[in-house]
Amino acid sequence: MDKSEKIEAYYSKEHHFKEGINQLRVLALKTEAEETYKWSLPVYTINNKNVFGICRFKDFFGVWFFNGALLSDQKKVLRNAQEGKTKAMRHWNFTSSQKIDENGVFNYMNEAIQNQKDGKVLVVGKPQKKFEIPEILKTSLSENPALKKAYDNFSLSKQREFCEYIQEAKQAATKSRRIDKILPMIKDGVGLHDRYR
């Protein structure tokens, strides 16, 4: 079965929310999004980027916005798709086709499309773990303002590399050798691992 057949099968399958999801589909097809099929449900894309999907479940049906966190949500209807698990996805759920706000849904779909065209996406990375500046480095930086300024000019990831390099040393003598190695690098604006990058 190709994608178009899967889409038709999804919308024509007997289900107590069949009318509701088909009503949402009519709205989706009025937008410029392209209808496709992913993860066993219809998904609507712009330039092959997922914008929203139409889904049905046991107790509700609705529209899932892949970057819904960026929608203005003037009607205050969007909910986090999976609390604690997703940062960007939001959904607008309904329990009957009579409750669908067609103008509202259509406007939300178009806003999501425009956000995608404008390149607005919520980038979610792994949270960076905090790091502390080792005392031996903190002392060297406080004694030399030019060195401190050079250190502050590094990205957080490069600052972290310097700090971890010193902290990984078990003995004071090793820490001392390592600080002697990195201070000239910091002064010259050279990251600890720059030669490998």
Side-chain angles (χ1 to χ4, degrees), residues 23-113:
Q23 203 173 330
L24 294 175
R25 184 189 192 194
V26 168
L27 298 172
L29 293 176
K30 287 181 182 175
T31 72
E32 60 184 295
E34 185 178 331
E35 187 177 60
T36 186
Y37 191 81
K38 301 179 182 184
W39 309 292
S40 303
L41 54 97
V43 173
Y44 297 81
T45 65
I46 288 291
N47 301 322
N48 295 317
K49 301 288 185 187
N50 302 327
V51 180
F52 58 87
I54 294 175
C55 54
R56 59 165 191 256
F57 295 97
K58 182 181 172 189
D59 300 320
F60 61 89
F61 66 98
V63 185
W64 294 64
F65 296 96
F66 287 86
N67 275 292
L70 298 174
L71 292 173
S72 56
D73 193 18
Q74 294 175 347
K75 294 180 177 289
K76 306 292 180 224
V77 291
L78 297 180
R79 293 182 9 213
N80 192 316
Q82 291 178 298
E83 204 64 54
K85 291 185 180 178
T86 61
K87 299 280 189 250
M89 195 176 283
R90 297 289 183 273
H91 57 126
W92 188 349
N93 290 344
F94 304 97
T95 53
S96 78
S97 55
Q98 287 78 34
K99 294 188 176 180
I100 296 175
D101 172 355
E102 291 196 354
N103 284 337
V105 170
F106 187 66
N107 289 337
Y108 275 48
M109 287 176 172
N110 282 315
E111 183 185 350
I113 289 167

